[in-house]
């Protein structure tokens, strides 16, 4: 007997001890089947080690997606896998009856969100939070999800709608390379790291077709324009214009071959993202024409030359700083590209304007030190780049955003910067990690704490699972009344120079009781340590306050407003009513919003959107920090698993009920299932007796729902039996559904079962409706046929009656005319008999008596025309039959009379004027009438006289 062991067939009788030992070791070690576990909740026991081994086994088997209860774990393969993201595979997941039974994939999450929108279960709007460290693949995952929705959510019917949908799809997909070129950069941990956060809102209409999208960005790291860490690069777009520009464009933008720029470090590195043509083509599809593109790239080239402007210390403090020798050409080139006056540019960078007084302002001009000149230069570059990035986002939104009245629901994709910890961390890293803390708290509040607390409130028997709550860390960063953010903002409001050591002292003294605050004794620079959910991070206090202020001198804005460049004119309008947030207040005591305050407000707004939707989570994991394929470093992955609380998520998801629906919504959606089970007496009456309005129980609505809810729950055994008979026998699992006080809790499998039963009932109802409609249509057609038959019969009867009436009328006319014509013919015939009166014939024995003669004469008078016609017709009956016809016409017996016709060569017709005696002989005499011998050619429809009837053109026929 052969057995299948791990995919290999072996004989039970003839098996070597070595192979048996290996199979036993694999079985006990559990290494072989781990890659087959597509859900981490099936790992037993659920520990960090077993989860780590399962992910490693699947990663080595090129299985990069694994379910973890309510979360999808995505491992970055660090290699191109085209067959994993083909449009055909997208359609397969979209057309599958149960996508959850297919292999785990980001398309499963995408299809689940899309079907949730179609099912209209509250909340209808969906959101997908893609989280993970920098370099874990968040941007790629968001890009693939956008492609998936562009494929499955644009299926129009008409040709015009198809063109609109195709244009929207192309524009949404083309927004990615533009935003990545201007917002992503190469860092120590990722070659394509997003230096901003974005929330993409995919807008769907009532038919669940994608009609547009909207992009919202968060905290662009604009300091990267003028300051890059060691071994890092500036934004991708600067390298693209330097490497991909043509000779003519290089000449126009003053970017000669081999030129060096201080703000363009590591230009020798060639990345996949350094593709200039892709960015230009995407911008063209978004509506940015070639002249506008050239204008943008010219401004960017001007910023690069601006970075080569260096100042030397002035010997006299009353004199402005002098330019370095090699910086004079850069000043002229930068001013030419930005279309600014050279003298005005130098004056703005080297001289500071001070305004004093409230009522009567006094303006003072003070030369800046070398450090202040460098700061003003960097501020000018950051200001221009930030405005340019915001303008691009607005252009993208105007290109892809739909009319608010044309969409009813949306699916949100949140791609935020991953958790960061560098040797030198400043305000940017503090905001990034603060955002990650908020998102982790949202996950904890939504799936871990709220889920377990709701179980207790609803009366479920539940043993709480301990989990890591990061609320303490959030209180340290943003808490009230004292927190790190509040202390930094307070330093900005104080009218004094900021000291890094003083800020460190204030933070440590004011927040000394927080367990998430630490101090590094080995650090030589002032700093503090925050213990985040993903690990401790050391932040240097030097420059925190200045970066939080983000001061923009008013003279820099006024300088840019004097530019003749069309793009800068649009970015910096001269309208005084449009006062930007970068411009400080004139009084100086009411400062503008700080960077931390603005970022915190935008983050709160984002979380409100997430709370109003049904969230889905994708955890991106980076297998190694070197971005090498087929390399799985357990220590690095283990730290990421600990940071995101994945094991606690698996514990709660495996034992809990991720699906919860209120009684009202459950009854409204699944009341159809009562058709599958006969109604019982308990389901027909309310458990509360009927009372007056004042005596009704307080929960009347809930009491009315209970009978319907019980009827629906009675159908569950029927559904379970149907599922057991159709599928393989399932293992013993906990009860998949629990009815709480106000909600119904169920697992994903139970939801699928209910949806299948609902679909079955809807199909039955559809068949009943179709049967009733066909029956009604058949009956209607039968009634119409019967009515048509009656109408046709009545019309035919009427037409027949009219026809018969016409025939009767015609017969009466013919009869009257015939009688007149017969009398006339008899009269004419009597006058043609030689004018002599017939003598009476003497009766002999055997001759006819007088009454017989009378009848014979009457018969001759009545029937002689018909007999002559039949007897002398050229075709028809002949011989003896003709003789019988003549006798019958004349009412004669064949035995008494012989009818003899003339020979064929005789002319005329035998006369019948003489009474037959013995045999009857017809003969013809010459008519006394004039021209009686001739037979003219008459009209076929007219009769001109009696003689023409007697004459015949053919020879007589002998009978």
């Amino acid at each position: 007997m052969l057995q299948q062991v791990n995919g290999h067939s072996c004989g039970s009788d003839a098996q070597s001890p070595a192979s048996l030992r290996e199979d036993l070791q694999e079985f006990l070690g559990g290494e072989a089947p781990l890659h087959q576990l597509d859900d981490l909740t099936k790992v037993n026991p659920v520990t960090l080690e077993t989860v780590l081994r399962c992910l490693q086994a699947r990663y080595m088997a090129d299985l990069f997606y694994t379910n973890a209860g309510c979360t999808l774990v995505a491992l970055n393969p660090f290699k191109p896998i085209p067959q994993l993201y083909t449009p055909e595979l997208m359609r397969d997941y979209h057309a599958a009856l149960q996508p959850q039974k297919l292999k785990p994939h980001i398309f499963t999450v995408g299809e689940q969100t899309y079907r949730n929108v179609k099912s209209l279960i509250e909340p209808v709007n969906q959101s997908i939070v893609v989280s993970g460290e920098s370099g874990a693949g968040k941007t790629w995952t968001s890009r693939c999800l956008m492609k998936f929705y562009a494929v499955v959510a644009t299926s129009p019917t008409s040709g015009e709608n198809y063109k609109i949908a195709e244009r929207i799809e192309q524009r949404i997909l083309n927004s990615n390379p533009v935003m990545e070129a201007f917002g992503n950069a190469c860092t120590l941990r990722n070659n394509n790291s997003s230096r901003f956060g974005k929330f993409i809102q995919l807008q769907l209409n009532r038919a669940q077709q994608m009609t547009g999208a909207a992009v919202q960005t968060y905290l662009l790291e604009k300091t990267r324009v003028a300051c890059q860490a060691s071994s890092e690069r500036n934004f991708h777009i600067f390298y693209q214009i330097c490497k991909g520009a043509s000779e003519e464009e290089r000449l126009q933008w003053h970017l000669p071959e081999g030129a060096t720029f201080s703000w363009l470090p590591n230009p020798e590195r060639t990345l996949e993202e350094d593709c200039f043509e892709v960015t230009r083509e995407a911008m063209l599809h978004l509506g940015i024409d070639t002249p506008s593109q050239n204008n943008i790239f010219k401004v960017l080239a001007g910023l690069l030359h601006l970075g080569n402007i260096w100042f030397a210390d002035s010997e006299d403090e009353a004199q402005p700083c002098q330019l370095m020798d090699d910086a004079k050409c850069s000043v002229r080139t930068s001013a030419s590209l930005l279309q600014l006056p050279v003298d005005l540019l130098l004056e703005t960078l080297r001289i500071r304007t001070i305004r004093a007084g409230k009522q009567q302002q006094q303006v003072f001009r003070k030369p800046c030190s070398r450090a202040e000149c460098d700061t003003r230069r960097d501020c000018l570059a950051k200001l221009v780049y930030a405005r340019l990035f915001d303008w691009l986002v607005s252009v993208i939104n105007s290109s892809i955003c739909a009319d608010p009245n044309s969409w009813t629901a949306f699916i949100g994709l949140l791609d935020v910067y991953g958790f960061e910890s560098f040797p030198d961390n400043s305000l940017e890293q503090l905001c990034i990690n603060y955002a990650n803390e908020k998102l982790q708290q949202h996950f904890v509040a939504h799936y871990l704490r709220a889920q377990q607390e709701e179980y207790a409130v609803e009366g479920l028997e539940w043993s709480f699972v301990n989990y890591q709550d990061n609320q303490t860390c959030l209180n340290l960063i943003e808490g009230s009344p004292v927190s790190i953010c509040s202390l930094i903002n307070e330093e900005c409001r104080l009218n004094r120079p900021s000291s890094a050591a003083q800020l460190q002292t204030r933070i440590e003294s004011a927040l000394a009781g927080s367990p998430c605050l630490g101090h590094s004794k080995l650090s030589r620079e002032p700093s503090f340590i925050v213990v985040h959910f993903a690990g401790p991070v050391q932040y240097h206090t030097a420059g925190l306050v200045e970066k939080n202020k983000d001061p923009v001198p008013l003279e820099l804005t006024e300088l840019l407003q004097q530019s003749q460049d069309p793009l800068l004119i649009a970015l910096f309008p001269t309208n005084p009513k449009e006062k930007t947030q970068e411009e400080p207040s004139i009084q100086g005591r009411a400062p503008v919003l700080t960077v931390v305050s603005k970022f915190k407000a935008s983050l709160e707004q984002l979380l409100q959107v997430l709370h109003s939707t049904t969230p889905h989570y994708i955890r991106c994991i980076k297998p190694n920090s070197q971005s090498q394929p087929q390399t799985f470093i357990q220590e690095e992955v283990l730290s990421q698993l600990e940071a995101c609380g994945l094991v606690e998520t698996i514990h709660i998801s495996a034992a809990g009920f991720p699906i919860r629906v209120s009684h009202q919504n459950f009854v409204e959606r699944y009341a159809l299932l009562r058709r599958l089970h006969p109604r019982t007496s308990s389901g027909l009456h309310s458990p509360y007796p009927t009372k007056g309005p004042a005596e009704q129980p307080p929960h009347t609505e809930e009491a009315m729902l209970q009978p319907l809810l019980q009827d629906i729950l009675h159908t569950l055994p029927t559904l379970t039996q149907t599922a057991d008979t159709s599928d393989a026998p399932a293992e013993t699992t906990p009860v998949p559904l629990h009815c709480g006080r106000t909600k119904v809790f169920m697992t994903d499998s139970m939801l699928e079962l209910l949806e299948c039963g609902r679909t079955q009932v809807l199909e039955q109802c559809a068949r009943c409706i179709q049967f009733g409609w066909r029956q009604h249509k058949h009956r209607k057609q039968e009634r119409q046929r019967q009515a048509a038959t009656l109408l046709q019969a009545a019309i035919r009867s009427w037409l027949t009656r009219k026809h018969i009436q016409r025939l009767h009328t015609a017969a009466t006319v013919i009869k009257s005319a015939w009688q007149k014509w017969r009398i006339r013919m008899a009269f004419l015939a009597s006058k043609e008999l030689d004018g002599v009166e017939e003598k009476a014939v003497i009766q002999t024995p055997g001759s006819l008596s007088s009454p017989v003669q009378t009848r014979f004469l009457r018969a001759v008078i009545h029937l002689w025309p018909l007999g002559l016609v039949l007897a002398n017709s050229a075709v028809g009956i002949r011989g003896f039959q003709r003789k019988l016809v003549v006798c019958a016409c004349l009412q004669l017996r064949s035995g008494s009379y012989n009818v003899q016709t003339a020979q064929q060569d005789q002319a005329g017709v035998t006369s019948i004027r003489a009474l037959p005696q013995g045999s009857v002989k017809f003969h013809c005499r010459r008519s006394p009438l004039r021209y009686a011998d001739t037979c003219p050619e008459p009209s076929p429809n007219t009769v001109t006289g009696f003689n023409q009837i007697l004459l015949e053109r053919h020879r007589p026929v002998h009978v």
Side-chain angles (χ1 to χ4, degrees):
M1 177 179 178
L2 294 179
Q3 295 179 350
Q4 191 79 9
V5 180
N6 297 330
H8 304 281
S9 60
C10 59
S12 60
D13 298 332
Q15 188 176 11
S16 62
S19 61
L20 180 61
R21 192 183 308 109
E22 291 177 0
D23 292 340
L24 182 60
Q25 185 177 359
E26 289 181 356
F27 173 74
L28 294 177
E31 294 291 343
L34 279 178
H35 70 279
Q36 302 176 3
L37 299 178
D38 56 0
D39 197 332
L40 295 179
T41 58
K42 300 177 182 178
V43 178
N44 192 15
V46 181
T47 61
L48 278 174
E49 290 75 13
T50 55
V51 170
L52 185 67
R53 285 162 48 198
C54 180
L55 291 177
Q56 183 175 8
R58 291 180 63 81
Y59 184 76
M60 293 304 176
D62 285 346
L63 300 173
F64 307 106
Y65 296 105
T66 309
N67 291 324
C70 56
T71 306
L72 178 70
V73 178
L75 295 170
N76 194 339
F78 292 120
K79 62 180 179 180
I81 310 176
Q83 67 274 10
L84 198 58
Y85 308 100
T86 59
E88 292 75 14
L89 188 63
M90 297 179 187
R91 296 187 182 95
D92 291 341
Y93 276 85
H94 179 59
L97 295 178
Q98 295 180 352
Q100 293 80 6
K101 293 187 177 180
L102 300 179
K103 293 182 180 180
H105 205 286
I106 55 175
F107 298 156
T108 307
V109 181
E111 180 61 23
Q112 183 179 0
T113 57
Y114 186 66
R115 294 191 180 187
N116 287 354
V117 173
K118 295 182 66 176
S119 63
L120 300 179
I121 298 179
E122 292 293 339
V124 178
N125 298 326
Q126 308 290 307
S127 61
I128 301 177
V129 180
V130 185
S131 60
E133 289 191 1
S134 178
K138 301 184 300 298
T139 301
W140 174 260
T141 301
S142 301
R143 188 188 309 170
C144 292
L145 285 171
M146 291 179 66
K147 290 182 179 178
F148 174 79
Y149 290 120
V151 170
V152 304
T154 52
S155 55
T157 54
S158 63
E160 183 179 357
N161 290 337
Y162 178 77
K163 293 180 180 178
I164 296 175
E166 188 178 15
R167 185 175 69 253
I168 292 172
E169 171 189 355
Q170 190 66 30
R171 289 183 177 180
I172 291 176
L173 295 180
N174 283 323
S175 64
N176 275 329
V178 175
M179 298 191 69
E180 290 180 12
F182 285 85
N184 291 16
C186 176
T187 63
L188 294 175
R189 311 183 69 176
N190 185 11
N191 290 340
N192 190 29
S193 176
S194 298
R195 308 319 302 163
F196 69 103
K198 63 176 178 292
F199 181 73
I200 304 173
Q201 188 183 67
L202 304 178
Q203 300 160 348
L204 306 176
N205 59 11
R206 296 185 182 275
Q208 288 78 47
Q209 296 177 357
M210 190 161 55
T211 60
V215 181
Q216 185 177 359
T217 59
Y218 302 94
L219 191 65
L220 174 70
E221 190 186 17
K222 58 184 179 180
T223 56
R224 183 171 292 271
V225 176
C227 181
Q228 303 84 29
S230 177
S231 300
E232 293 190 352
R233 300 204 316 174
N234 208 327
F235 292 104
H236 293 322
I237 188 61
F238 291 105
Y239 299 89
Q240 290 181 2
I241 62 176
C242 290
K243 295 180 179 181
S246 61
E247 292 296 333
E248 182 181 356
E249 291 171 341
R250 286 179 177 276
L251 183 62
Q252 181 183 359
W253 302 336
H254 299 278
L255 299 174
E257 193 76 28
T260 58
F261 300 95
S262 60
W263 288 352
L264 204 67
N266 304 314
E268 68 281 355
R269 296 185 60 181
T270 302
L271 303 180
E272 182 183 356
E273 291 76 20
D274 296 339
C275 188
F276 191 40
E277 294 301 324
V278 174
T279 303
R280 301 194 72 164
E281 185 178 358
M283 295 175 70
L284 196 62
H285 283 292
L286 290 174
I288 305 176
D289 54 8
T290 303
S292 299
Q293 294 182 22
N294 295 332
N295 196 6
I296 294 173
F297 303 141
K298 185 180 66 173
V299 171
L300 294 177
L303 296 184
L304 287 178
H305 286 282
L306 186 66
N308 286 345
I309 301 177
W310 295 98
F311 299 93
D313 291 329
S314 177
E315 298 178 357
D316 186 5
E317 294 182 357
Q319 298 296 325
C321 296
Q322 299 297 321
L323 286 173
M324 303 290 288
D325 294 337
D326 54 352
K328 297 179 180 180
C329 180
S330 299
V331 171
R332 291 192 298 269
T333 305
S334 178
S336 174
L337 291 173
L338 298 177
Q339 296 190 20
L340 294 171
V342 179
D343 298 338
L344 184 60
L345 175 61
L346 282 176
E347 181 182 354
T348 306
L349 294 179
R350 296 186 299 177
I351 299 177
R352 181 162 56 101
T353 302
I354 302 174
R355 293 177 173 85
K358 296 181 181 180
Q359 301 296 333
Q360 296 180 354
Q361 293 187 3
Q362 296 180 356
V363 179
F364 301 94
R365 300 169 61 84
K366 179 181 179 182
C368 299
S369 63
R370 176 184 175 183
E372 290 177 343
C373 291
D374 294 341
T375 302
R376 293 169 75 87
R377 176 203 60 199
D378 297 347
C379 182
L380 180 63
K382 292 188 293 184
L383 177 61
V384 173
Y385 194 83
R387 290 284 187 94
L388 176 60
F389 185 80
D390 293 339
W391 178 80
L392 282 174
V393 173
S394 64
V395 169
I396 291 174
N397 283 331
S398 63
S399 176
I400 65 178
C401 190
D403 185 15
N405 298 326
S406 64
W407 60 276
T408 57
F410 69 87
I411 299 176
L413 298 178
L414 179 60
D415 177 17
V416 294
Y417 4 62
F419 184 83
E420 292 184 350
S421 178
F422 298 114
D424 187 6
N425 301 291
S426 187
L427 184 68
E428 294 83 10
Q429 283 70 39
L430 179 62
C431 294
I432 288 173
N433 295 337
Y434 168 51
N436 280 270
E437 289 282 353
K438 293 289 287 186
L439 293 177
Q440 177 66 15
Q441 178 65 19
H442 175 264
F443 175 76
V444 168
H446 188 270
Y447 272 109
L448 303 183
R449 182 177 64 239
Q451 195 172 31
Q452 298 190 87
E453 291 178 354
E454 192 171 17
Y455 291 162
V457 172
E458 292 290 334
L460 276 71
E461 297 181 1
W462 178 260
S463 58
F464 278 78
V465 177
N466 295 325
Y467 57 89
Q468 181 183 0
D469 193 354
N470 63 335
Q471 185 61 45
T472 305
C473 183
L474 279 177
N475 293 335
L476 172 65
I477 298 176
E478 65 169 6
S480 179
V482 181
S483 62
I484 294 177
C485 292
S486 64
L487 291 177
I488 296 177
N489 288 335
E490 186 178 351
E491 284 290 328
C492 294
R493 287 192 295 268
L494 295 177
N495 227 349
R496 65 181 183 185
S498 177
S499 172
Q502 186 178 2
L503 178 61
Q504 176 191 359
T505 304
R506 289 197 62 189
I507 291 176
E508 291 179 352
S509 60
L511 303 172
S514 176
C516 294
L517 181 66
H519 174 67
S520 176
K521 299 180 180 180
L522 301 179
S523 178
R524 297 180 179 179
E525 298 180 0
S527 63
F528 60 91
I529 297 177
V530 177
V531 182
H532 293 279
F533 74 97
V537 179
Q538 182 180 1
Y539 300 97
H540 296 281
T541 56
L544 271 181
V545 177
E546 291 298 324
K547 288 183 178 180
N548 189 36
K549 287 181 180 179
D550 193 18
V552 178
L554 182 60
E555 50 266 28
L556 293 182
T557 305
E558 293 176 350
L559 168 67
L560 294 172
Q561 288 176 351
Q562 298 182 23
S563 172
Q564 300 300 318
D565 185 78
L567 178 61
L568 294 179
I569 292 176
L571 296 180
F572 298 93
T574 57
N575 189 356
K577 296 181 180 179
E578 298 179 0
K579 184 177 180 180
T580 60
Q581 293 183 350
E582 289 85 356
E583 298 177 4
S585 176
I586 297 177
Q587 297 179 0
R589 295 187 179 182
V592 295
L593 290 175
T594 61
V595 174
V596 171
S597 300
K598 290 187 291 186
F599 182 71
K600 182 179 179 181
S602 62
L603 198 58
E604 291 293 338
Q605 183 181 3
L606 172 64
L607 290 175
Q608 289 180 2
V609 175
L610 294 181
H611 281 297
S612 65
T613 62
T614 301
H616 305 265
Y617 291 91
I618 299 178
R619 294 284 189 180
C620 296
I621 302 295
K622 184 166 60 173
N624 60 85
S625 57
Q626 292 77 27
S627 302
Q628 297 294 327
Q630 293 295 317
T631 303
F632 192 92
I633 301 178
Q634 294 188 357
E635 291 77 11
E636 296 183 6
V637 178
L638 186 63
S639 62
Q640 297 177 60
L641 295 178
E642 291 177 343
C644 65
L646 190 61
V647 177
E648 292 85 356
T649 304
I650 296 171
H651 273 299
I652 296 177
S653 299
F657 305 94
I659 309 299
R660 61 193 64 125
V661 185
S662 65
H663 289 175
Q664 180 69 29
N665 294 337
F666 186 84
V667 169
E668 289 179 357
R669 184 164 184 81
Y670 300 113
L672 296 172
L673 297 179
R674 294 185 297 164
R675 296 174 177 267
L676 299 177
H677 189 273
R679 298 186 180 183
T680 58
S681 59
S682 62
L684 298 177
H685 304 283
S686 174
Y688 297 98
T690 305
K691 300 179 182 181
E695 299 178 359
Q696 289 185 355
H699 303 287
T700 306
E701 183 178 357
E702 187 67 26
M704 294 174 63
L705 293 177
Q706 287 298 326
L708 300 177
L709 189 61
Q710 294 301 324
D711 282 348
I712 298 174
L713 296 180
H714 287 162
T715 63
L716 295 182
T718 305
L719 294 175
T720 307
Q721 292 175 3
T722 304
D724 292 340
T725 55
S726 59
D727 300 336
E731 299 178 358
T732 303
T733 57
V735 180
L737 185 142
H738 183 87
C739 184
R741 293 187 177 93
T742 61
K743 295 181 180 180
V744 177
F745 298 84
M746 69 188 84
T747 59
D748 291 326
S749 60
M750 192 65 217
L751 180 63
E752 292 180 10
L753 200 61
L754 290 171
E755 288 295 327
C756 290
R758 183 174 180 269
T759 303
Q760 178 184 354
V761 174
L762 290 176
E763 290 177 354
Q764 293 178 358
C765 295
R767 284 193 290 268
C768 291
I769 293 174
Q770 292 173 359
F771 174 76
W773 170 252
R774 291 192 187 101
Q775 190 177 17
H776 166 72
K777 188 176 181 181
H778 178 73
R779 289 176 179 174
K780 183 178 180 181
Q781 291 177 351
E782 184 65 22
R783 289 195 298 267
Q784 291 177 350
R785 189 187 63 81
Q786 293 177 359
T789 303
L790 291 177
L791 289 175
Q792 292 173 2
I795 292 175
R796 289 194 188 100
S797 175
W798 179 79
L799 291 175
T800 303
R801 287 196 300 270
K802 297 296 291 184
H803 181 64
I804 292 175
Q805 289 177 2
R806 287 195 299 269
L807 292 179
H808 286 173
T809 304
T812 302
V813 173
I814 293 172
K815 181 178 179 181
S816 175
W818 168 253
Q819 290 176 354
K820 294 179 180 179
W821 179 81
R822 186 188 60 184
I823 296 173
R824 184 181 179 188
M825 290 301 105
F827 175 74
L828 291 177
S830 63
K831 292 181 69 174
E832 288 181 0
L833 297 179
D834 298 335
V836 182
E837 186 177 357
E838 286 285 301
K839 294 183 178 181
V841 182
I842 302 174
Q843 297 182 357
T844 59
S847 62
L848 296 174
S849 61
S850 179
V852 175
Q853 289 180 344
T854 305
R855 287 195 300 271
F856 178 73
L857 290 174
R858 190 175 302 168
V860 170
I861 292 173
H862 279 278
L863 300 174
W864 68 266
L866 180 60
L868 288 179
V869 171
L870 294 177
N872 295 279
S873 60
V875 295
I877 57 176
R878 297 182 183 278
F880 180 72
Q881 294 181 357
R882 178 172 294 185
K883 186 184 296 185
L884 293 179
V885 170
V886 174
C887 293
C889 292
L890 298 177
Q891 295 183 359
L892 301 176
R893 296 181 181 178
S894 59
S896 302
Y897 303 99
N898 292 326
V899 180
Q900 181 180 357
T901 60
Q903 299 298 326
Q904 295 292 338
D905 54 351
Q906 293 180 354
V909 181
T910 305
S911 177
I912 59 169
R913 60 182 179 176
L915 295 175
Q917 297 178 2
S919 61
V920 179
K921 181 179 181 181
F922 292 91
H923 60 90
C924 179
R925 288 185 58 187
R926 183 177 179 87
S927 175
L929 298 178
R930 192 177 183 181
Y931 305 114
D933 302 347
T934 62
C935 181
E937 293 293 334
S939 175
N941 299 324
T942 58
V943 177
T944 57
F946 175 72
N947 293 315
Q948 292 182 9
I949 296 176
L950 298 180
L951 297 177
E952 182 176 346
R953 288 180 297 175
H954 303 285
R955 291 182 180 181
V957 181
H958 293 279
V959 182

